[in-house]
Amino acid sequence: MTSSILPRLVEQFPELHWQEQADLASHTYMRVGGPAEVLLVIDNLDQMIEVILFARQENIKTLILGGTSNLVIRDGGVDGLVIINRCSNGEHYMNKAEVQSDLALDDSYFEHVPSSAQFLLAESGAPTAMVVDQAIKQNLTGLEPFVGVPGTLGGAVYNNSHYQTELIGDLVAAVEVLTPEGERRWIHQAESEFAYDDSRFQRSGEIILQVLLFAMPGDPDKITLMVQESDMKRSSTQPLGTPSSGCVFKNVELTPEQSAKFDGKTNLSAGWLIDQAGLKGARVGGAEVSSVHANFIVNTGSATSQDIEQLIAKIQTTVKDKFQIELDKEVFFLGKEQN
């Protein structure tokens, strides 16, 4: 089917590489999903903003994706324009005075930041692991828990990515966004509404453009040790190398009544609940609950988005029947069902 929006995009931006009815599965960690009506993979931030503003002016439905590590594209694909953000113009390291001068941020942006902190400015399409790796090479500490986080920095901030109890939002000084009105502005950390697997950006319609992180000068040997420990834990507890979208469900905060049933614990791992429900290895079609980590659903090679959604529903029903606990999805589903 020929796209009705493609001619307008090509006429306005003939220099960009537009793809019609383009495969999206190969761009996602789960390796499932239908095509995009029109796809643009872009690595220039100013150009991306121009495209977004034009699409809004033309009432072209637009979806912006980053690393796609925690989402599943449905089998019917996505109507409209899909932009994959690969904007990553290197990391810039600055002290507070340089940040204030270059970004015109006043003291209110630094109230939660230690005085000896250093700052890292990166575009939202930069791979999170690369940003962390570069910080480590600068002997900066604080970001080590996120050394193996997949996806882009914009996605990590959008989701407030976590590793165990560490939240990346705790290391954010400010976030530059494109507002629904087309304005570029910086958002304080305090305005970002960071919570477990949550941020304002999931509701505000703002597009994350750049992220200003902070980290502390650290001891190289200690940093190396923390990185090694993080790598070892991930490799031994996660199904690395197999298509998945990371943890499927949020960990559970228990009510006082629920806590009494679990020896006074205040929270439980979703993976533990799924494992105790006997669901490791459970399958629907080509989707399977990982035998390595029960909070991961893996694509064994032939999974569809429908397989994954049905397996998620099976897990939720089983856990609720056994423990009277409802699991809340951490993974996002986008697009339409296949006809």
Side-chain angles (χ1 to χ4, degrees):
M1 179 186 295
T2 302
S3 169
S4 62
I5 64 175
L6 184 59
R8 284 180 282 165
L9 293 166
V10 171
E11 181 180 7
Q12 184 70 18
F13 303 100
E15 74 282 8
L16 299 180
H17 179 58
W18 303 98
Q19 302 174 58
E20 188 175 17
Q21 293 300 313
D23 169 62
L24 285 176
S26 63
H27 290 282
T28 72
Y29 274 64
M30 186 60 94
R31 296 292 188 264
V32 303
E37 180 180 343
V38 177
L39 176 66
L40 174 66
V41 181
I42 193 164
D43 61 6
N44 181 285
L45 189 64
D46 290 332
Q47 277 190 327
M48 185 177 78
I49 292 169
E50 288 181 22
V51 171
I52 293 167
L53 294 178
F54 176 77
R56 288 176 177 174
Q57 174 187 314
E58 294 290 308
N59 294 315
I60 294 172
K61 181 181 176 183
T62 305
L63 174 66
I64 295 137
L65 302 178
T68 68
S69 59
N70 73 322
L71 64 84
V72 176
I73 301 294
R74 291 192 173 95
D75 301 322
V78 180
D79 291 334
L81 170 63
V82 176
I83 298 173
I84 295 184
N85 175 9
R86 293 286 181 264
C87 300
S88 177
N89 189 28
E91 294 76 50
H92 303 279
Y93 299 91
M94 297 178 278
N95 58 36
K96 180 180 176 181
E98 291 168 330
V99 169
Q100 290 181 302
S101 172
D102 294 353
L103 304 182
L105 301 182
D106 61 39
D107 284 337
S108 66
Y109 285 87
F110 308 101
E111 292 173 352
H112 66 292
V113 179
S115 59
S116 58
Q118 294 291 304
F119 296 89
L120 300 77
L121 177 67
E123 293 181 349
S124 54
T128 304
M130 182 182 74
V131 173
V132 174
D133 183 60
Q134 292 301 314
I136 289 168
K137 289 178 180 177
Q138 297 291 321
N139 294 326
L140 296 175
T141 188
L143 287 162
E144 297 91 340
F146 305 99
V147 69
V149 170
T152 61
L153 183 60
V157 171
Y158 179 93
N159 294 303
N160 194 17
S161 292
H162 64 90
Y163 179 67
Q164 296 183 332
T165 60
E166 305 290 333
L167 301 172
I168 201 164
D170 291 339
L171 298 170
V172 170
V175 181
E176 189 190 24
V177 301
L178 182 69
T179 70
E181 296 74 34
E183 174 193 4
R184 290 181 70 163
R185 64 175 294 240
W186 284 94
I187 304 292
H188 292 74
Q189 187 210 49
E191 296 178 289
S192 298
E193 300 172 14
F194 287 123
Y196 174 67
D197 285 333
D198 192 32
S199 75
R200 73 179 271 167
F201 310 110
Q202 296 181 21
R203 297 171 291 278
S204 66
E206 296 160 327
I207 297 165
I208 297 173
L209 302 176
Q210 298 188 95
V211 179
L212 183 68
L213 298 166
F214 66 89
M216 306 296 293
D219 180 278
D221 292 335
K222 291 182 179 178
I223 292 172
T224 298
L225 181 60
M226 284 189 283
V227 169
Q228 290 173 343
E229 290 174 348
S230 180
D231 279 341
M232 287 178 61
K233 186 169 183 63
R234 275 194 170 87
S235 62
S236 64
T237 60
Q238 297 181 7
L240 303 180
T242 304
S244 79
S245 290
C247 288
V248 175
F249 299 101
K250 298 178 181 181
N251 291 331
V252 179
E253 295 290 330
L254 298 177
T255 65
E257 293 78 12
Q258 291 171 330
S259 176
K261 299 176 183 178
F262 293 95
D263 300 323
K265 293 179 180 176
T266 58
N267 57 73
L268 289 174
S269 158
W272 182 85
L273 287 165
I274 297 165
D275 189 2
Q276 294 302 303
L279 289 168
K280 271 190 175 179
R283 290 185 64 151
V284 173
E288 179 179 83
V289 177
S290 170
S291 60
V292 178
H293 191 313
N295 201 13
F296 281 64
I297 290 177
V298 298
N299 179 358
T300 62
S302 60
T304 65
S305 68
Q306 189 174 44
D307 292 341
I308 297 163
E309 290 196 89
Q310 289 179 356
L311 184 53
I312 285 173
K314 178 179 179 178
I315 293 168
Q316 289 173 315
T317 298
T318 305
V319 168
K320 185 174 182 181
D321 288 345
K322 186 174 180 64
F323 298 111
Q324 292 73 56
I325 289 175
E326 295 192 17
L327 292 178
D328 186 16
K329 291 196 302 292
E330 183 173 318
V331 67
F332 296 89
F333 282 79
L334 300 173
K336 58 186 180 180
E337 299 290 353
Q338 195 166 36
N339 293 330

